[in-house]
Amino acid sequence: MTDQTWPDERLVTAAREGESAAIAALVSGSYPHVRRFAHTLCASAEDAEDAAQEALIILYRKIGTLRASGALASWVFRIVRNECLRQWRMMTRQLEPMPDLAVASAEDEAVRRLEAGRVAAVIAALPTDQRRVLIMRDVQGYSGRMVADVLGLSVAAMKSRLHRARATVHQQLRNTSHPTQERSGHND
C-alpha cells in the first residue's frame, strides 16, 4: 500500500532550492496522488496516465517557481486538471466532422447555434440523475464504468438512466419545432 501523505515541507523546500535528490523524492512521492487525481478527471485511463506524467514533468522542471511549499498539492492538481482539459479538447477537435464548405453562411451558422441551444435546453430540463449520466457519458466521454463509479451506481442502473435520458432528449427534439421548418418560402 502506498503512503497517503504528501511529501513534507522540508522536502519541498529543498527541491525548490534545487537539490536533485529532493526533487527526485518529491516527484516519486507525489506520483500516487497525481495519478489518483488524474484518473478521476480524465476520460480514459491512458489520458490519465499521460496527464499524470505531464504533471510530474512540469513539477520536475518548474519546482523552483513554486512560491509556497504548502501550495504543492493545489499547484500539481491544477496542472493535472489543465492537462486533462487539454487532452479532452484535442479529442473533441479530432471528432468534429470537417465542414463541406470552407465558410458557412451566416444563416447556416445561425441555424447551427439555434440547434445547439435547443439541445442544451432539452438536456438542462432532464432530471438531475439523468442529466449527470448523459453529460458524463456522451458529452465528457467518460466510460460507462467510470460514470457508474463516480455516481455510485451499478453499471446497469447507469445504463438505464442513460437510455432514459437519450430517449427523452430524442423525443423532445422531435416534438419541438425545427428552426428550418419555421422559415417561410416567400421572397416578398
Side-chain angles (χ1 to χ4, degrees):
M1 186 166 183
T2 60
D3 181 19
Q4 296 297 316
T5 60
W6 278 85
D8 67 16
E9 246 183 88
R10 287 178 296 179
L11 182 63
V12 175
T13 301
R16 284 177 46 213
E17 292 171 358
E19 291 181 27
S20 58
I23 294 171
L26 181 65
V27 169
S28 65
S30 300
Y31 176 72
H33 306 289
V34 170
R35 185 175 181 270
R36 189 171 38 258
F37 186 66
H39 277 272
T40 65
L41 286 183
C42 292
S44 70
E46 294 82 18
D47 288 347
E49 289 299 327
D50 290 346
Q53 291 295 324
E54 186 64 28
L56 293 174
I57 289 169
I58 292 171
L59 172 62
Y60 175 79
R61 289 182 182 161
K62 298 191 176 191
I63 186 62
T65 64
L66 182 64
R67 293 183 189 170
S69 299
L72 175 69
S74 62
W75 183 57
V76 172
F77 286 162
R78 204 168 30 255
I79 294 168
V80 172
R81 185 196 69 216
N82 290 342
E83 186 60 23
C84 288
L85 285 171
R86 186 188 68 77
Q87 290 173 355
W88 181 77
R89 285 184 197 119
M90 284 179 23
M91 179 182 69
T92 56
R93 272 191 222 121
Q94 291 171 355
L95 297 176
E96 289 176 3
M98 295 300 289
D100 291 336
L101 304 171
V103 177
S105 70
E107 181 181 24
D108 289 341
E109 182 63 23
V111 168
R112 188 189 66 72
R113 286 186 181 168
L114 284 172
E115 284 296 309
R118 284 179 61 227
V119 172
V122 169
I123 291 172
L126 288 171
T128 303
D129 61 335
Q130 291 179 23
R131 185 175 60 245
R132 284 182 182 156
V133 169
L134 182 77
I135 289 172
M136 290 179 75
R137 185 74 176 99
D138 291 351
V139 176
Q140 295 176 326
Y142 291 116
S143 71
R145 163 62 56 202
M146 184 179 287
V147 172
D149 289 347
V150 167
L151 297 177
L153 302 170
S154 67
V155 173
M158 183 280 306
K159 286 181 178 181
S160 176
R161 288 181 186 181
L162 181 61
H163 175 73
R164 285 194 307 266
R166 287 174 175 167
T168 301
V169 168
H170 182 70
Q171 185 66 35
Q172 291 297 320
L173 290 175
R174 271 196 356 224
N175 290 341
T176 59
S177 64
H178 190 281
T180 57
Q181 294 172 345
E182 295 175 0
R183 281 193 255 148
S184 165
H186 301 289
N187 291 333
D188 295 332

